Amino acid sequence: MQQFMSQLQHLLSAPGSGPVNWDLARQVAASQLAAAGDPAVSPFERNAVEEALRIADLWLEPATSWPSGIRTSVAWNRNEWIYKTLDVWRKLCDPVASRMVGAMSDLVPPEARAQLGPMQSMVATLGGALFGGQLGQALGSLAAEVLSAGDIGLPLGPAGTAALIPANIRAYGEGLELPEDEVRLYVALREAAHQRLFQHVPWLRGHVFTAVENYAAGIRVNREAIEEAMGQVDPTDPESMQAIALEGIFTPEDTPAQKASLARLETVLALVEGWVCHVVDSAAGDRLPNVVRLGEAFRRRRAAGGPAEQTFAALVGLELRPRRLREATVLWAALTEHRGIAGRDAVWGHPDLLPSDDDFANPEAFAATSSDLDEELANFDFTAPGAPEEQPPDEGDDKKS
């Protein structure tokens, strides 16, 4: 946060290129991690991660109908997680942040805007700096908790790059009082399963982000909270910026459209996470001594969200928790029983084939009616518009490493 303070005057004199000052966000997150500690990844840990992901891919072969989705296996420290996922966070947060910055500009009376002239851009710059600083703190906290690139259910990293964070896996294993190598292998199974799903279902990345964006579009900006936060700023004391808390500025609109958007978002997050849980537990079988304990711990962890994830949700108004995770896991298990592995995975062939929120209540009925899926798929037009396909992030950095 001290770095944030030292650069404030420079930031106010140069307008940013968007609603969030992402350079500042990255600097604040890096500063926070430096203070808390960000252990470097040792050669032993890199080899252990690569071996765990290799074994995970072998175990997943009979549990899924798709081949490996991993092109690169890497071990990241916490700073690398932030750097490699920042482009996706920008996509998720910019639409919400732009509404906050617009609301800040609206606080300036119309008669005063004409007098401010070019200085009006300083309001937007201040908003971008405020939001960037707060996001940096949230991402720094999240980086100290996440275990892999796909840990929170979104494809945050470069496509085809499976990444684990050894320092966080070690700390999480100590909390569970389980061997580190067993926890690492279970995390690797989850990461490899995420990679298979998002690599071989090309429309899914865009579908998930569209669900997030549609929900974000219905978030209301609490102008009173912005006004209260801005009232804490003393222009003669830059350190007064540290006292600003932007939590509570964004709240969901209580409308039928917004409730429908939330339901779609929660459904797709639950379906992704439920498929991963079912496939990983099937692949691990009796190979991992503590697989039942690990599976239950991870389900609780994803359903509840950690402290950093809750902070992020309070800041931008987005909760990335699959609330119906257990029901989704049961649904995928029922599909496997009725349709087999290939038939279960064929449901991912198009977004219109996925179970709806109502199907969670009766997974057996959905699985039974899906027994005619082969005929449906044979007549289905997969070229019809579904969800927009997301362009994969630039993988140049990973290919160089």
Side-chain angles (χ1 to χ4, degrees):
M1 202 62 184
Q2 290 180 347
Q3 208 163 6
F4 174 37
M5 295 299 111
S6 66
Q7 297 194 21
L8 181 59
Q9 290 183 337
H10 171 70
L11 293 168
L12 292 179
S13 64
S17 59
V20 177
N21 189 317
W22 286 102
D23 286 339
L24 178 63
R26 183 165 47 81
Q27 291 165 11
V28 169
S31 176
Q32 181 171 317
L33 289 176
D38 184 14
V41 179
S42 69
F44 171 80
E45 288 173 325
R46 292 189 189 279
N47 291 335
V49 165
E50 290 175 2
E51 180 66 8
L53 287 167
R54 186 188 67 81
I55 293 172
D57 250 350
L58 287 174
W59 288 7
L60 286 171
E61 281 298 318
T64 69
S65 61
W66 300 310
S68 172
I70 299 175
R71 296 198 293 268
T72 307
S73 298
V74 293
W76 288 342
N77 64 13
R78 292 159 180 167
N79 261 299
E80 285 177 302
W81 178 84
I82 291 175
Y83 181 76
K84 299 290 187 181
T85 64
L86 206 60
D87 284 345
V88 175
W89 289 117
R90 181 182 288 112
K91 182 180 289 292
L92 290 172
C93 299
D94 272 357
V96 178
S98 64
R99 303 181 69 186
M100 185 203 77
V101 173
M104 287 180 64
S105 299
D106 290 344
L107 291 176
V108 180
E111 59 274 12
R113 293 177 199 168
Q115 297 177 4
L116 284 174
M119 293 183 65
Q120 178 71 12
S121 65
M122 290 181 60
V123 177
T125 304
L126 176 61
L130 278 173
F131 209 72
Q134 299 262 319
L135 267 178
Q137 293 182 65
L139 290 176
S141 298
L142 198 54
E145 293 182 6
V146 292
L147 306 178
S148 67
D151 193 28
I152 65 171
L154 297 177
L156 294 175
T161 297
L164 307 188
I165 296 89
N168 294 351
I169 292 173
R170 182 168 56 252
Y172 185 65
E174 290 171 356
L176 293 178
E177 298 183 345
L178 289 175
E180 182 181 347
D181 58 345
E182 196 171 340
V183 177
R184 183 194 305 115
L185 186 48
Y186 194 84
V187 175
L189 281 164
R190 289 177 51 82
E191 178 71 0
H194 269 285
Q195 291 294 334
R196 287 191 187 222
L197 181 60
F198 281 97
Q199 192 74 4
H200 297 292
V201 182
W203 54 264
L204 182 57
R205 183 182 292 261
H207 187 75
V208 170
F209 288 142
T210 298
V212 172
E213 289 166 7
N214 288 341
Y215 175 66
I219 290 177
R220 181 176 62 87
V221 178
N222 186 337
R223 297 192 181 187
E224 290 79 11
I226 293 179
E227 201 164 5
E228 181 179 349
M230 294 304 298
Q232 299 173 26
V233 178
D234 180 358
T236 64
D237 178 18
E239 294 203 2
S240 65
M241 301 277 282
Q242 295 184 64
I244 295 179
L246 296 182
E247 289 90 342
I249 281 180
F250 303 106
T251 55
E253 289 279 14
D254 189 20
T255 64
Q258 180 66 352
K259 289 178 179 177
S261 294
L262 177 59
R264 283 191 294 271
L265 174 58
E266 290 182 342
T267 296
V268 70
L269 290 175
L271 287 173
V272 168
E273 193 68 21
W275 185 89
V276 168
C277 285
H278 170 64
V279 166
V280 165
D281 288 349
S282 299
D286 56 1
R287 289 169 163 144
L288 288 178
N290 293 290
V291 64
V292 174
R293 248 184 94 185
L294 283 163
E296 183 59 27
F298 272 80
R299 272 187 285 274
R300 286 200 306 267
R301 179 176 179 270
R302 285 296 293 121
E309 198 170 340
Q310 293 164 7
T311 299
F312 182 81
L315 182 60
V316 300
L318 287 173
E319 288 195 355
L320 302 175
R321 292 183 292 157
R323 294 181 183 276
R324 306 195 69 177
L325 170 57
R326 292 183 187 276
E327 293 99 318
T329 306
V330 170
L331 192 150
W332 289 118
L335 275 168
T336 306
E337 182 179 349
H338 282 265
R339 295 274 307 144
I341 290 171
R344 175 203 67 203
D345 293 346
V347 174
W348 291 104
H350 192 277
D352 290 347
L353 300 176
L354 289 177
S356 67
D357 185 58
D358 294 337
D359 293 320
F360 283 34
N362 197 343
E364 289 293 332
F366 177 80
T369 56
S370 295
S371 60
D372 297 328
L373 190 57
D374 285 333
E375 184 178 344
E376 291 181 42
L377 290 174
N379 299 316
F380 206 93
D381 181 9
F382 286 100
T383 64
E389 184 174 344
E390 184 72 16
Q391 293 296 319
D394 182 14
E395 298 175 60
D397 292 336
D398 286 291
K399 289 181 180 176
K400 294 175 186 175
S401 59

